[in-house]
Structure formats: structure tokens, C-alpha cells
Amino acid sequence: MVSSTPTPSVRNWGSSGLAFLTGRPDGPADFSRANVLDRAERVVADAAMLLAGRAALLELRRGGRVSAGGATRLLAARDGWCAITLSRPDDVAAVPALLHADDVPANPWPTLQRWVAAQPVAAVVERAGLLDIPAAALGEAAATAPRIRPLGPKAPTAPKAPEPLNTGLLVADLSSMWAGPLCGHLLARSGATVVKVESPSRPDGTRAGERGFFDWINTGKLSYCVDFDRQVNELRALLAVADVVIEGSRPAALARRGLGPKDIEPRAGRIWLRIAGHDGCPGRPAFGDDAAVAGGLVGGSAGNPVFCGDAIADPLTGLAAAQAVNESRGRGGGELIEVSLAAVAASYAALPTIPNCDHPAPAPTIPPAAKPASELGADNDAVRRLIAERRCLPC
């Protein structure tokens, strides 16, 4: 069914570039998920730019069952659909083990597609998980709110003031890629001081990609480069004075270094935000496109799904995470908040779909040029001074 009178939601989805990024590459743009943008704009006014800006910077296009970024595929299994992501060298290297094969062609996708077609979805996802390859069954995740648990003493809640919402807030952002850094970006926009923490051996992978995207998401943050193994005490000192900690790695990676939320000196009102791929599965890998599929956030029809937008679970989770932090602050903080990409995607997938239509769908607009983000470790001295100053202040 094709609608002849585009609604404001349809026009908005089309002008944002998200329709351009959704649908088969040889077919019309897909408008079925237009309500997603309407809801996202209730969280932040420029949601359209935040959801489609990376695709504009990278000049991405819709690929149907191939993600706009190219690393994830929607594959038909024996009893349904699943998504597999091969974005890391280790993922590609694990494909022979996934297929029980001695050798796999340089382009593994045709062989992988044939193998998946003969398997039940559950077997594909389970075996991929054993090999740490991101994979998900279409619609497997439930729409759940962020998990919130008490962490420590609450801070007195202050009345609303005319200054930016998060003025004076210190955020230690240990996350990378997109969802966590976008949350930090939104907190910085509302007045927070955000310290981007990276390891010299494993800096944020987006530094090596399109620099315009890295600058856009990370401009204005202080860059703190610290060895997570050899400089544990320095990192612990930062976490001890932070009001908000954003964590995007597997929790065990911090816990075994004594850097988990229970290991850090308590601070009144501290909010520890943990971003994971899947709710209740902190060790399961996920990226924005396969997590969106897990949540059921796809375009097309039930029997002919296509990817929606560009890794859309990532920016939607960044928005949800920033909203969760602000809501926690209103309660006085002192909370551990867990947000998952798949659960956020599922909450948006639950919105009503709309009939497709014949409406203009231009490419997304490139975000305004951002000032260059700090080079790795450029602000180490400034961060150390900030830590020393905060140690002298009451919590």
C-alpha cells in the first residue's frame, strides 16, 4: 500500500536523509520507520543530524540487506533472518571456524550465506557468539527500560537554574566508537566537562577513520591518554572525582583491574553509565547494525527486511543514555545505569510502522564542520590539574 498524502513524519524522515539510507539499493527509499525520528526528536531537537550525520560524512548509501557501512549483512537462515557483522580483523579470521572449514575465499559472504541458509537462526547466533563474532536474530531483543541500581549516596538535588543543565559536571568517558561518545557529546553540549579516556595501545577506533566524524562527536572534550594496566592509579584518581562515568567495554575488563563501579571511592551522586550491546549479556559483542536487527528495527516487510538507516542503534542509544543520565541527576544520582543497544532499538521498533510512499528522499546533510578534537593525550596535564583541584573540594 502506498500513501498519496505524505504526513509531517514522512516529510521529516525524507528530508533527514534517513529514508535515503533505508531500502533496497535498486528500489525506492523506505519510509516505514518515519515515527522513529519523531520520537528521537522529543529527546533532542537535532536528532535527524545525529542519526544521519555519519552517513553524510562518509557518503554512505542504502544497501538493502548490506548495511550502509558495509560490515553487516542480513542473511536468511532456515527458519528466519539474522545479522552477522564482520567489522574487525578477528571477526574475518574466525569465519573458517564458524563454517567448520579449512579455507574460506577472500570474500567470505557468499559462502557464509549458503551456510546460514542451511542452519536454524538460533544455531547461527550461538556458534557466532562462541567465536565472539557479532550476530543477532531478527527481533530477538525485548524493549526494556535502562536497568537502574543503587550505587552510592545521592547528591542534593538543586532547583533548575538558567545556566546549561550540566554546568560543573565532570564526565569520565571511557567509551569508544559512537553510542558512548555521543552521550558524552550531548552532556558536553549541556555544560559538562567531558574527559575522553583512551589507552595508548587501543585508542578509539574512529580516530583512524573519517576524521570529520571523530571531530564532530569528540570536539570540546579533554583527551586523557593513560595505560589501563600500568597507570591504574592515575585512572582510578580520575574516576574517583568524576560525577559521571561512561563505560562501553566489557565490565570484566575494568573489574579485573580494580576499576569497576564498586572499586572506586564513593562520591555523592555519582552516576555510572554502562553501555552494552545486549541487555543482560555484558560480554556479548554488538555493533549498531546487528543490534538494530536484534531489536527488530529494520525497514521493508517481515519477509523481506532491509537495514534501517546507518547503524541506527548506536546514535539512538547515545540519545537514550544522555537522557538516562539527566533523569538520574534529577533523582540525585548515586546510580548504576545499564543501557543496551538492542533494547533501545527494540523500544523504537515497537512504534507503529507507516505505509510506504513516493516522496523525495535526498541524501543526508553533512553536519557543520567541527573544531578539531584534541589529539591523543593532548590534555593530560590539564586533566591531572583538574583531578588535583577536585580532590580539594567537598563531594
Side-chain angles (χ1 to χ4, degrees):
M1 179 178 179
V2 178
S3 171
S4 59
T5 306
T7 65
S9 296
V10 164
R11 292 194 292 270
N12 197 21
W13 181 257
S15 63
S16 71
L18 289 164
F20 175 86
L21 296 167
T22 307
R24 296 187 63 85
D26 56 352
D30 188 300
F31 288 81
S32 62
R33 292 294 183 177
N35 284 327
V36 167
L37 181 55
D38 283 356
R39 177 176 155 187
E41 287 183 333
R42 292 198 290 271
V43 179
V44 61
D46 61 342
M49 185 69 73
L50 296 174
L51 297 184
R54 188 187 85 139
L57 289 165
L58 275 58
E59 299 182 342
L60 303 182
R61 306 179 65 86
R62 63 181 178 272
R65 293 179 192 158
V66 179
S67 65
T72 309
R73 304 281 174 110
L74 262 166
L75 303 174
R78 201 167 68 198
D79 56 352
W81 292 87
C82 62
I84 296 179
T85 297
L86 302 178
S87 64
R88 304 167 297 184
D90 287 350
D91 299 329
V92 178
V95 171
L98 178 66
L99 303 181
H100 301 279
D102 294 328
D103 190 28
V104 173
N107 176 9
W109 287 111
T111 305
L112 191 55
Q113 187 167 10
R114 289 192 295 272
W115 177 80
V116 169
Q119 313 295 321
V121 169
V124 174
V125 174
E126 180 182 13
R127 182 156 181 80
L130 292 174
L131 297 167
D132 208 36
I133 297 174
L138 176 60
E140 67 170 87
T144 56
R147 294 174 181 261
I148 301 173
R149 288 178 280 168
L151 179 62
K154 292 188 175 294
T157 55
K160 292 184 179 180
E163 68 265 20
L165 177 64
N166 290 312
T167 297
L169 199 71
L170 177 61
V171 179
D173 181 4
L174 282 65
S175 67
S176 61
M177 305 304 286
W178 197 352
L182 176 57
C183 174
H185 170 78
L186 294 172
L187 295 176
R189 283 197 335 191
S190 62
T193 297
V194 179
V195 177
K196 183 170 181 62
V197 183
E198 298 171 84
S199 163
S201 59
R202 296 188 65 180
D204 189 330
T206 57
R207 280 190 180 273
E210 164 56 51
R211 185 64 193 217
F213 173 67
F214 182 84
D215 289 343
W216 176 44
I217 297 299
N218 294 292
T219 187
K221 301 176 184 177
L222 299 173
S223 175
Y224 188 49
C225 182
V226 58
D227 190 305
F228 282 41
D229 293 310
R230 298 180 181 179
Q231 296 173 288
V232 173
N233 289 336
E234 284 197 37
L235 182 49
R236 184 178 287 114
L238 171 62
L239 301 182
V241 299
D243 301 301
V244 177
V245 177
I246 302 174
E247 171 196 332
S249 59
R250 298 179 182 185
L254 292 181
R256 68 170 175 261
R257 294 174 171 87
L259 295 170
K262 295 182 180 178
D263 303 312
I264 305 302
E265 177 184 340
R267 180 178 179 82
R270 178 184 296 130
I271 300 164
W272 195 289
L273 175 69
R274 181 174 285 164
I275 297 177
H278 295 269
D279 187 39
C281 302
R284 183 179 172 185
F287 288 89
D289 284 304
D290 57 84
V293 170
L297 186 52
V298 294
S301 61
N304 189 23
V306 293
F307 284 104
C308 178
D310 168 33
I312 198 165
D314 265 315
L316 288 177
T317 301
L319 268 60
Q323 183 178 35
V325 169
N326 289 331
E327 290 174 351
S328 179
R329 290 202 71 209
R331 296 188 294 267
E335 296 176 335
L336 171 64
I337 302 173
E338 296 176 313
V339 181
S340 85
L341 276 69
V344 170
S347 71
Y348 278 89
L351 296 171
T353 56
I354 62 173
N356 231 327
C357 65
D358 182 14
H359 188 70
T365 302
I366 295 176
K371 293 180 180 179
S374 292
E375 295 299 329
L376 185 63
D379 304 303
N380 275 19
D381 289 342
V383 173
R384 291 181 183 121
R385 288 193 298 270
L386 184 58
I387 293 171
E389 291 169 3
R390 281 224 154 196
R391 279 175 165 170
C392 298
L393 295 174
C395 294

